[in-house]
């Protein structure tokens, strides 16, 4: 993974993807159902619409450590989104992601998740990135496992949710 920065934003580049922060005009286009030629045919998905609708309420999500569009390097098309729910709470950040149906099964979600989690762990005061996934969504469980996250909740799981996390090297969780 490499990163490049503009004055306020850092773009992350992996072998096959670019993770670039959203801009407010893209969020407005998603909310207004205005199509862009730079989007895969099935972008945005419902989760992208939800996130775009929350930027006014959570402006930090548009910052350096917030939400990003997932761009397929080969085509230049937006194929999903991924984000950190900034700011951190006691050194932890939640991550969420989604890839449009036409691009699933290509390993994009684990690739993007790994890259953004590694980036998040370089932020001052951040030692853990976590995700909670419904057990009825085994594909998302596999994404987190492939991205290097570890399941950590071992108690009885009445809420049918798997809890995953990845921690900064040398940091020990209780």
């Amino acid at each position: 993974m490499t990163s490049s920065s503009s004055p306020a934003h850092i773009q992350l580049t992996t072998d096959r993807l670019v993770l670039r922060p959203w801009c407010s005009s893209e969020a407005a286009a998603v909310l207004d159902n205005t199509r862009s030629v730079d989007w895969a045919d099935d972008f945005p998905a419902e989760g992208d619409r939800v996130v775009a609708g929350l930027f006014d309420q959570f402006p930090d999500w548009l910052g350096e450590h917030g939400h990003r569009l997932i761009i397929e390097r080969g085509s230049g098309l937006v194929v999903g989104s991924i984000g950190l729910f900034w700011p951190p709470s006691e050194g932890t950040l939640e991550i969420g992601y989604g890839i449009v149906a036409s691009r699933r099964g290509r390993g994009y979600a684990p690739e993007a998740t790994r890259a953004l989690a590694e980036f998040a762990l370089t932020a001052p005061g951040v030692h853990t990135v976590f995700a909670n996934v419904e057990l009825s969504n085994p594909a998302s469980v596999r994404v987190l496992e492939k991205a290097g996250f570890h399941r950590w909740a071992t108690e009885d799981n009445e809420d049918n949710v798997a809890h995953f996390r990845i921690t900064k090297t040398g940091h020990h969780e209780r």
Side-chain angles (χ1 to χ4, degrees):
M1 173 192 69
T2 61
S3 62
S4 62
S5 63
S6 64
H9 295 98
I10 292 180
Q11 177 173 286
L12 304 175
T13 304
T14 68
D15 289 341
R16 301 175 299 154
L17 304 171
V18 173
L19 309 180
R20 177 182 57 71
W22 288 70
C23 65
S24 54
S25 63
E26 291 164 327
V30 165
L31 295 173
D32 293 340
N33 291 318
T34 305
R35 298 265 335 132
S36 169
V37 296
D38 297 325
W39 295 351
D41 289 343
D42 48 351
F43 182 85
E46 185 56 33
D48 304 309
R49 288 182 186 88
V50 170
V51 168
L54 292 171
F55 286 141
D56 285 342
Q57 186 177 353
F58 300 100
D60 288 342
W61 289 5
L62 287 170
E64 177 181 358
H65 292 95
H67 286 261
R68 295 162 184 271
L69 296 172
I70 301 172
I71 301 162
E72 190 176 53
R73 287 178 67 186
S75 70
L77 297 176
V78 175
V79 298
S81 65
I82 187 167
L84 299 167
F85 296 92
W86 194 264
S89 173
E90 298 180 15
T92 67
L93 278 172
E94 185 173 5
I95 193 168
Y97 48 84
I99 300 290
V100 295
S102 66
R103 299 308 199 278
R104 290 184 190 148
R106 299 179 186 194
Y108 289 170
E111 186 174 329
T113 301
R114 183 179 322 106
L116 191 57
E118 288 173 358
F119 174 70
L121 292 173
T122 68
V126 174
H127 57 73
T128 302
V129 178
F130 73 93
N132 299 319
V133 179
E134 293 181 14
L135 293 173
S136 61
N137 187 352
S140 199
V141 168
R142 285 191 304 277
V143 164
L144 293 167
E145 291 170 344
K146 289 177 181 179
F149 283 65
H150 303 281
R151 192 181 297 214
W152 64 273
T154 57
E155 71 277 354
D156 288 334
N157 196 344
E158 294 177 16
D159 57 359
N160 289 315
V161 173
H163 305 279
F164 286 85
R165 69 180 173 201
I166 190 167
T167 57
K168 187 177 287 191
T169 303
H171 182 82
H172 301 288
E173 289 285 338
R174 292 180 207 162

